Amino acid sequence: MMYEFTIIVPVYNEEENLSRLEETLADFLPNSSKKAKILLVNDGSSDNSEALIKEICKRQPDFTYVSFVENRGLSAAIKAGFDEVDTPLLGYIDADLQTNPEDFNLLLEQIGPYDLVTGVRADRKDSFVKNMSSKIANGIRRAFTHDGMDDTGCPLKVIKSDYAKRIPMFRGLHRFLPAMILLQEGKIIQIPVRHYPRIAGTAKFGLWNRLLGPLSDCFAYLWMKRKYINYEIKVRG
């Protein structure tokens, strides 16, 4: 079966969401504008997530998974997904389903001339503190990267896989994916997508993760920008 699009789903202690995740993604796959499959990346969950993921993949022929020995964080889970993907396009979505997989079709409509299409969470259904800390963090990040993106933390993106695989990931870099595509002289765009409140499970990021952590990551990004190697092969003999 020739797949065109892989949806990466990082999972860390999301046992309460996995049944709904399976149902929602299985319902979306026949309606995807690209022939799609699901890659669940278990980031060393300490609850029953791994066992549930194995059962899901037995039931669903378009679902596969990888599982870490121990928890390594969201950026590591996304990188593992990038490394595993064998389709020309990839995307990712959070297991909490605060975004809707149906909106992947909105992003896929735009991907042709672009190398990354990211969602922007319209009418966010989060707490005041979470919204304000994200807004401040995004402003700091834009000042450092000049990527023009309003919401790089939105967990709904589509990327051309050859660009994604060239990103030298480090912890926290999931917030800088558009900027890393720009370093490759790629083209990026943002599209409004729907957003929902978290129904089950607990958020994995607090004030430090959303605000102070990204500030320190900005300096790491500037270092990488100065050292980044970018090239294009002209011909092979």
Side-chain angles (χ1 to χ4, degrees):
M1 191 174 296
M2 297 298 293
Y3 294 101
E4 304 169 278
F5 179 44
T6 302
I7 298 172
I8 300 165
V9 188
V11 177
Y12 177 60
N13 290 349
E14 293 285 0
E15 62 180 1
E16 297 175 26
N17 281 309
L18 286 174
S19 177
R20 186 168 65 99
L21 179 72
E22 175 188 4
E23 180 180 357
T24 303
L25 290 176
D27 287 346
F28 167 70
L29 288 178
N31 300 310
S32 174
S33 61
K34 302 287 185 182
K35 180 61 179 175
K37 61 180 177 178
I38 308 299
L39 173 61
L40 303 171
V41 181
N42 175 34
D43 182 18
S45 295
S46 57
D47 64 0
N48 199 40
S49 292
E50 182 172 358
L52 294 173
I53 286 170
K54 290 179 179 178
E55 291 301 316
I56 289 171
C57 292
K58 288 178 182 178
R59 289 191 294 267
Q60 302 290 347
D62 297 318
F63 285 57
T64 59
Y65 78 96
V66 296
S67 191
F68 288 180
V69 172
E70 57 188 357
N71 176 243
R72 289 298 185 181
L74 180 56
S75 291
I78 292 172
K79 174 173 170 45
F82 288 176
D83 291 344
E84 292 289 321
V85 162
D86 59 2
T87 53
L89 295 173
L90 63 85
Y92 82 83
I93 187 171
D94 278 355
D96 60 19
L97 290 178
Q98 285 193 258
T99 49
N100 193 324
E102 292 178 2
D103 287 344
F104 273 124
N105 284 335
L106 299 176
L107 276 57
L108 289 167
E109 285 178 8
Q110 302 293 327
I111 193 64
Y114 295 98
D115 305 299
L116 175 146
V117 184
T118 183
V120 178
R121 291 168 285 191
D123 189 22
R124 284 186 64 173
K125 307 298 184 182
D126 286 323
S127 69
F128 174 80
V129 171
K130 186 174 181 179
N131 284 336
M132 286 305 300
S133 61
S134 293
K135 186 174 182 179
I136 293 169
N138 275 304
I140 294 170
R141 190 209 68 259
R142 282 196 304 272
F144 276 80
T145 65
H146 305 289
D147 61 10
M149 299 289 103
D150 297 317
D151 185 18
T152 62
C154 178
L156 198 73
K157 290 179 173 62
V158 171
I159 314 174
K160 290 180 178 174
S161 298
D162 56 343
Y163 279 80
K165 288 177 179 292
R166 291 197 297 266
I167 295 174
M169 294 289 282
F170 62 86
R171 186 170 297 179
L173 195 65
H174 61 274
R175 304 179 185 94
F176 294 83
L177 294 179
M180 296 306 298
I181 299 299
L182 289 178
L183 285 185
Q184 299 180 47
E185 300 180 359
K187 296 179 180 179
I188 63 177
I189 191 174
Q190 56 186 3
I191 301 294
V193 297
R194 292 169 286 181
H195 190 247
Y196 306 91
R198 176 183 268 271
I199 294 176
T202 57
K204 307 305 186 292
F205 293 92
L207 182 61
W208 167 261
N209 306 89
R210 295 192 189 98
L211 188 55
L212 300 180
L215 176 59
S216 63
D217 291 340
C218 284
F219 292 100
Y221 166 78
L222 290 180
W223 177 88
M224 182 173 292
K225 183 177 180 180
R226 290 195 299 270
K227 303 292 185 179
Y228 188 72
I229 295 173
N230 189 42
Y231 62 89
E232 184 177 355
I233 299 295
K234 180 179 180 180
V235 66
R236 289 183 173 89

